[in-house]
Amino acid sequence: MSIEAKSNDAITGEAVPNEATPSETISNNTLVLYSSVDGQTLKIINHIKQSILGDVTVLNIDDNTQIDFSLYQKVLVGASVRYGNFRPNIIKFVNEHKQQLDAISNAFFVVCLTARKPEKAIPENNAYMKKFDQLSEWQPQLKGVFAGALLYSRYNWWQTLLIQLIMKMTGGSTDKTQDLELTDWQKVDIFSKEFSAL
């Protein structure tokens, strides 16, 4: 009998399986990367993380540019939009690592306030996902769009004015005395199941 298949327990003499091989260990590893400003993207990631089987590594793209993608079977990338733009680091990162991202099962989601409207919460209809598709050389296997949070209490005076202007133009709340979490968690759960099935 091959020693690679089974070995005998020294006490009972029963055959026991060997420890998992490196390839078996890798198959259960998921890498989650994010780019966030106010923390709602990370909050969504932590919610998704609960439904991912195996080991999950969560990294901020701002802090980690050198990553060994060969250690992972899946990768999920989440990015926020602020004032109509992605943070420059997210586009640069995915373009530089397109080959590594494509080599494993992958997904991407956008967090933006426009997704509070149901018709704008569909990747094909969302302007920021379309913008990502134009700027990014990487085209994810699975895409999601989630509404973020309107956190007036965290904005300085000029940020508040700018956000209020955007909200007024798009029919959102301009009441700076209230913070609003607009994320549809049921939609996040559906995305989580789809990602797990990749």
Side-chain angles (χ1 to χ4, degrees), residues 8-16:
N8 289 330
D9 186 287
I11 298 176
T12 65
E14 296 177 357
V16 295

Side-chain angles (χ1 to χ4, degrees), residues 11 19 28 34 75 88 96 113 124 152 159 163 168 171 195:
I11 298 176
E19 294 181 0
N28 292 323
Y34 71 94
V75 59
E96 288 179 352
L113 290 174
E124 294 78 13
Y152 281 115
Q159 289 174 324
I163 294 293
K168 186 174 182 179
F195 177 66

Side-chain angles (χ1 to χ4, degrees), residues 63-104:
D63 303 328
N64 299 273
T65 55
Q66 300 301 319
I67 297 169
D68 186 354
F69 286 86
S70 67
L71 298 175
Y72 306 96
Q73 183 195 24
K74 290 184 177 183
V75 59
L76 171 64
V77 181
S80 63
V81 171
R82 174 64 79 85
Y83 310 134
N85 293 300
F86 289 100
R87 303 182 76 192
N89 62 342
I90 184 68
I91 301 300
K92 179 181 178 183
F93 182 91
V94 298
N95 284 342
E96 288 179 352
H97 296 89
K98 176 187 182 303
Q99 185 175 355
Q100 295 97 318
L101 291 166
D102 284 337
I104 54 181

Side-chain angles (χ1 to χ4, degrees), residues 35-65:
S35 173
S36 184
V37 179
D38 293 314
Q40 191 67 14
T41 302
L42 179 57
K43 186 174 182 179
I44 292 171
I45 280 174
N46 286 331
H47 185 87
I48 294 173
K49 179 182 173 183
Q50 298 174 21
S51 65
I52 300 176
L53 298 177
D55 294 329
V56 182
T57 300
V58 178
L59 299 175
N60 185 336
I61 289 176
D62 289 335
D63 303 328
N64 299 273
T65 55

Side-chain angles (χ1 to χ4, degrees), residues 115-165:
R116 70 186 185 277
K117 299 180 179 180
E119 69 275 11
K120 302 295 185 181
I122 302 170
E124 294 78 13
N125 295 343
N126 186 273
Y128 298 118
M129 185 62 80
K130 291 179 180 179
K131 188 172 187 177
F132 178 84
D133 289 341
Q134 293 173 352
L135 297 173
S136 172
E137 297 174 15
W138 170 55
Q139 295 304 306
Q141 295 172 332
L142 174 66
K143 299 176 182 177
V145 180
F146 308 122
L150 194 56
L151 305 174
Y152 281 115
S153 65
R154 299 189 189 179
Y155 308 148
N156 61 34
W157 68 271
W158 68 266
Q159 289 174 324
T160 297
L161 289 176
L162 186 54
I163 294 293
Q164 283 179 315
L165 176 61

